[in-house]
Amino acid sequence: ENAHKPFPARNHPQSLSSVSPMISLKMIVISVLILLVTPLHSNEIRTSPHLWQKQRRHRALATSKHSQPHSIAPIWGAYDTHFVDLWIGHPEPQRVTTVIDTTSQITAFPCIGCSNCGIGNHMDYYFNYGHTSTFAAKSCEECWMGECDGLKCHMNHTYRKESHWDAFEASDRCYAGGFHFLAVTEEAQEAMTDDATKVRDYAFDLSFACQNTLTGPLAESLQDGV
């Protein structure tokens, strides 16, 4: 009665020699297809199609002889707003901190002679166009953003928060970013190896509103302009 019952017979797997030739052919075809569709870069297999395309673009830019250089300017944040450093003028650029305003395309800040335009509140003194050799006030024929008042290209703007300014349109050489407390001059660029000195290579002609009156919250803000 206590005798052990024999284990049931197991189904032994078929030997390799007994596998159907048709199944073997299908396995070979599937293996070949997998090799054909697998990307050359194994790390791309684990990424999404969007990231895969982005990685390929980055590699193309890095290896292309015709890729365009880039300049990066930091965005600062203070008092519930964001601003960027603009360095304007030549040969000694002057710093102008400007609020990033998405409601207007106009760059505006106080210039020397501006009446009660926030001196003592702003980070910097008024922009002194007498100290730059590349400054130019726009004539009536050159008006782009303003209107001719008979002598200069006049501009004005009023914001929702009751700030208002009057100005004349001007242009000067400008670069964005670089050092926060130090202007990058030609001498500094030649003497220093820091990447931040390369911002002068991306300087451009900036058209802006050179303010001569300013009222409202903008006159009390930390930043110089907008």
Side-chain angles (χ1 to χ4, degrees), residues 2 40 49 80 89 113 129 153 174 184 190:
N2 297 327
L40 293 177
D80 298 325
Y129 50 78
C153 193
C174 171
V184 179
E190 293 175 357

Side-chain angles (χ1 to χ4, degrees), residues 6-31:
F7 291 104
R10 298 181 178 178
N11 294 325
H12 296 286
Q14 295 179 338
S15 63
L16 293 176
S17 60
S18 64
V19 177
S20 169
M22 184 61 69
I23 296 177
S24 299
L25 180 60
K26 288 183 179 179
M27 294 176 63
I28 293 173
V29 172
I30 292 173
S31 300

Side-chain angles (χ1 to χ4, degrees), residues 179 184 187-199:
F179 301 107
V184 179
E187 294 77 9
Q189 190 175 31
E190 293 175 357
M192 302 174 67
T193 58
D194 195 294
D195 286 343
T197 62
K198 295 181 173 61
V199 291

